[in-house]
Amino acid sequence: MKDQQTPKYIQLKQEILSWIVTAQFKPHDRLPSENEIARRFKMSRQTVRQALGDLEQDGWLYRTQGKGTFVAESQTAVDRKSSPIGMTIGMITTHISDYIFPTIVRGVESSLRERGARMLLASTDNEKSKERDSLESMLHEPLAGLIIEPTKSAEGNPNFDFFLALDARQIPYVMLNERYTDVDAPCLKVDDELGGYRAADYLLRMGHERIAGFFKTDDYQGVHRMRGFLRAFRERKQPVAADWVVRYSSEEKTSRPLEALERMLEREAEERPTAIFCYNDELAVRMLDIIRRRGLSVPDDLSMIGFDDSNLAVATEVKLTTIVHPKTSMGADAVELLMKLITQRTPRGSWKDVVYEPTLVERESVKDLKEKNA
């Protein structure tokens, strides 16, 4: 409550509303008295009365003569009817208009529209603070359920209190691509470790031995893809040079991996990698620019595998070999699973994750070195 431009009663109203949506005060709990609130926030009773009056008018509070002010029944309480018609489903994703995310969102939106339900969409821009804002905004709405893609899942969950608030308000939710380790919710995801393994295994079977991997490790997708990549080498008892496994954060994605590749390509031909595996297709396309500037080509001088089978995989003159992400079907499957949680009133913990088996699409970005050496 430090905003000097917003009227004090509005600031107080937002503060009290945050108590409610995060379940600090549950339905029919009595709020502190006007005097107690006034003392706590150093405001006049008139300001407190105005804030409480607005919240009562909005349906968040009710007063009982001689007893005080109480939290009303949940604004997000929804009749768990068998039909989804008229339901509002929230979706929070890291991005809306970039990369594979529009396709996932379309899968959700199309499936909800077919059922007569409405989608409320928010983006975190891959920032924890914006995820918190999105969760709080969603809790102000009459949601039947929520689909959430965690933000930087490998960096912990500072917004755990809002997930507890979802539980307290009995709002079912499912997670996409990964989950926070402290959240008990069904998750729809690719088997990323198997995907990383299959990419490395394919390159090794093609006769490549000097293979570099690039992994964004502030989300668990990148961590698991790296584990699978390394497992393929361990099974062959083949070592991997430490400086050929490049880990980076979201903020470093346009610098650190590209600079690392530049250094690798400065070496003599017999010392540089013959193949690289990229965390996703977006990075792979950026890598192509580095390779071209060096006067090299894919796959003649350097083979390459991406991940996600996005539109970018076939957008350049080099068509990428890549691992498939289900995208549209993941969005539709998320809606189907969420509807079961809503209409069947089944506890989230009783549902199994939906795990998609990764498949590799062979295109022209990988050279078979076995044929060269035959």
Side-chain angles (χ1 to χ4, degrees):
M1 299 181 59
K2 298 177 181 178
D3 186 351
Q4 300 300 319
Q5 311 239 330
T6 305
K8 287 185 177 180
Y9 86 93
I10 295 291
Q11 295 181 50
L12 180 58
K13 180 180 174 182
Q14 292 170 343
E15 177 69 18
I16 295 172
L17 189 56
S18 74
W19 299 350
I20 298 170
V21 299
T22 58
Q24 296 176 53
F25 289 85
K26 302 179 180 61
H28 308 298
D29 282 353
R30 181 182 177 278
L31 289 184
S33 69
E34 290 180 3
N35 284 335
E36 289 170 327
I37 294 174
R39 283 195 301 270
R40 177 174 174 179
F41 294 103
K42 298 186 170 80
M43 293 180 176
S44 69
R45 282 193 63 187
Q46 179 57 38
T47 299
V48 174
R49 193 173 293 118
Q50 186 174 3
L52 295 177
D54 275 13
L55 289 168
E56 183 180 5
Q57 188 172 4
D58 292 343
W60 291 99
L61 303 175
Y62 67 91
R63 296 176 194 252
T64 300
Q65 187 67 33
K67 293 185 178 180
T69 302
F70 298 81
V71 178
E73 282 289 344
S74 172
Q75 290 272 307
T76 56
V78 174
D79 178 19
R80 301 298 178 84
K81 53 190 177 180
S82 59
S83 170
I85 294 174
M87 285 183 182
T88 297
I89 302 298
M91 182 176 187
I92 299 174
T93 185
T94 52
H95 300 283
I96 293 175
S97 58
D98 297 337
Y99 195 48
I100 64 173
F101 300 101
T103 311
I104 298 172
V105 171
R106 282 196 298 271
V108 171
E109 194 277 333
S110 176
S111 185
L112 288 174
R113 188 174 61 247
E114 289 175 1
R115 290 169 165 81
R118 181 174 76 99
M119 181 172 72
L120 190 61
L121 183 61
S123 168
T124 70
D125 293 326
N126 210 32
E127 295 180 19
K128 297 283 193 183
S129 61
K130 289 185 179 179
E131 180 186 70
R132 187 173 189 84
D133 293 341
S134 296
L135 286 165
E136 183 170 7
S137 295
M138 289 290 180
L139 281 163
H140 291 180
E141 301 293 334
L143 293 185
L146 190 58
I147 298 168
I148 307 170
E149 182 197 18
T151 295
K152 297 181 179 177
S153 55
E155 291 192 346
N157 182 14
N159 303 321
F160 182 65
D161 54 336
F162 279 95
F163 288 92
L164 291 180
L166 289 170
D167 292 339
R169 300 173 79 80
Q170 298 182 359
I171 300 174
Y173 58 96
V174 300
M175 307 202 84
L176 292 183
N177 289 322
E178 261 302 338
R179 68 154 66 78
Y180 291 122
T181 56
D182 54 6
V183 170
D184 181 20
C187 180
L188 299 94
K189 60 182 180 179
V190 175
D191 187 335
D192 287 295
E193 182 170 339
L194 182 57
Y197 175 87
R198 286 183 171 170
D201 179 70
Y202 179 76
L203 290 171
L204 290 163
R205 285 189 288 107
M206 288 290 150
H208 295 271
E209 296 180 352
R210 303 195 305 274
I211 306 170
F214 300 81
F215 306 95
K216 186 166 78 70
T217 52
D218 52 11
D219 61 51
Y220 280 124
Q221 295 98 298
V223 172
H224 295 319
R225 290 170 195 179
M226 181 179 66
R227 285 177 179 168
F229 175 85
L230 295 174
R231 179 161 63 88
F233 287 87
R234 282 198 305 272
E235 288 185 359
R236 290 169 170 78
K237 296 182 172 54
Q238 184 169 328
V240 180
D243 60 343
W244 283 16
V245 178
V246 180
R247 300 187 294 178
Y248 62 95
S249 67
S250 297
E251 290 74 22
E252 297 172 319
K253 69 179 183 180
T254 59
S255 57
R256 182 174 172 79
L258 307 184
E259 291 165 1
L261 180 63
E262 286 267 21
R263 291 192 295 271
M264 293 176 193
L265 297 183
E266 288 173 355
R267 301 173 183 178
E268 297 296 328
E270 62 273 10
E271 295 179 351
R272 66 190 181 215
T274 62
I276 61 174
F277 170 50
C278 299
Y279 165 78
N280 63 13
D281 299 337
E282 182 180 42
L283 177 63
V285 170
R286 288 196 178 105
M287 296 296 207
L288 280 172
D289 290 335
I290 302 294
I291 295 164
R292 290 190 199 101
R293 287 205 298 268
R294 285 278 167 185
L296 304 174
S297 67
V298 174
D300 290 337
D301 300 301
L302 188 66
S303 292
M304 175 185 290
I305 293 183
F307 206 110
D308 292 328
D309 194 24
S310 66
N311 293 336
L312 294 175
V314 292
T316 69
E317 74 279 5
V318 178
K319 310 309 176 190
L320 276 177
T321 296
T322 185
I323 303 292
V324 174
H325 185 289
K327 297 182 280 294
T328 303
S329 58
M330 176 182 281
D333 293 344
V335 171
E336 182 177 355
L337 177 54
L338 183 60
M339 287 301 171
K340 289 178 180 177
L341 293 175
I342 294 170
T343 59
Q344 297 179 17
R345 306 189 186 192
T346 308
R348 288 196 311 274
S350 66
W351 292 96
K352 293 182 179 180
D353 289 347
V354 177
V355 181
Y356 302 90
E357 182 176 347
T359 57
L360 185 139
V361 178
E362 297 182 61
R363 295 196 178 101
E364 60 192 48
S365 64
V366 175
K367 185 174 185 179
D368 188 348
L369 294 187
K370 298 196 307 298
E371 292 182 358
K372 176 183 175 181
N373 298 325

